């Protein structure tokens, strides 16, 4: 489950780098919690073809994060903002606003 959440977070960051079909299939499965069969059937695809696309998307999301590290940097900034919150509430709020939290 935690790994699934990670992919949803990566998808939110990098979805603009994916094709329309990749975005649609991934979001149907991970964001709307549809089964592979529910995604495949209306479009005349097979479960295996949907699975293959989703697998490629997950590999691409991992690749993008390994190269760009946007999620890693956001996580570090969020942790810093939370630790600052006790000492300097204004700076903490500014950091959280910048990263969209």
């Amino acid at each position: 489950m935690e790994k699934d959440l990670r992919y949803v977070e990566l998808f939110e960051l990098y979805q603009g780098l994916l094709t329309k079909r990749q975005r649609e299939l991934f979001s149907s499965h991970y964001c709307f919690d549809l089964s592979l069969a529910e995604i495949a059937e209306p479009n005349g695809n097979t479960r295996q073809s949907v699975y293959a696309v989703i697998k490629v998307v997950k590999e691409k999301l991992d690749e993008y994060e390994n190269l760009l590290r946007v999620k890693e940097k956001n996580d570090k900034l969020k942790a810093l903002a939370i630790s600052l919150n006790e000492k300097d509430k204004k700076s903490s709020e500014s950091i959280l606003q910048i990263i969209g939290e």
Side-chain angles (χ1 to χ4, degrees), residues 7 18-19 22 26 49-64:
Y7 282 116
L18 302 171
T19 67
Q22 289 171 330
F26 185 89
S49 67
V50 172
Y51 174 80
V53 171
I54 291 172
K55 182 180 177 190
V56 167
V57 170
K58 289 167 57 174
E59 290 169 357
K60 285 182 176 257
L61 293 173
D62 284 331
E63 180 183 341
Y64 296 147

Side-chain angles (χ1 to χ4, degrees), residues 38-92:
E38 290 172 318
I39 298 167
E41 189 176 305
N43 301 316
N45 296 317
T46 64
R47 288 177 59 249
Q48 291 80 11
S49 67
V50 172
Y51 174 80
V53 171
I54 291 172
K55 182 180 177 190
V56 167
V57 170
K58 289 167 57 174
E59 290 169 357
K60 285 182 176 257
L61 293 173
D62 284 331
E63 180 183 341
Y64 296 147
E65 179 60 14
N66 286 335
L67 291 171
L68 302 172
R69 305 255 183 238
V70 173
K71 181 183 179 319
E72 178 185 319
K73 292 171 186 173
N74 279 349
D75 290 347
K76 287 180 181 179
L77 283 171
K78 184 177 179 181
L80 176 62
I82 290 169
S83 70
L84 278 175
N85 195 29
E86 297 170 5
K87 299 175 185 175
D88 185 357
K89 189 167 180 82
K90 187 173 182 177
S91 294
S92 174

Side-chain angles (χ1 to χ4, degrees), residues 12-23:
E12 289 176 1
L13 292 169
Y14 300 118
Q15 64 181 304
L17 300 174
L18 302 171
T19 67
K20 181 180 177 183
R21 177 171 162 74
Q22 289 171 330
R23 287 191 304 268

Side-chain angles (χ1 to χ4, degrees), residues 2-11 62 65 71:
E2 184 177 316
K3 189 171 186 177
D4 291 345
L5 179 58
R6 179 179 180 276
Y7 282 116
V8 171
E9 291 173 345
L10 291 176
F11 179 73
D62 284 331
E65 179 60 14
K71 181 183 179 319

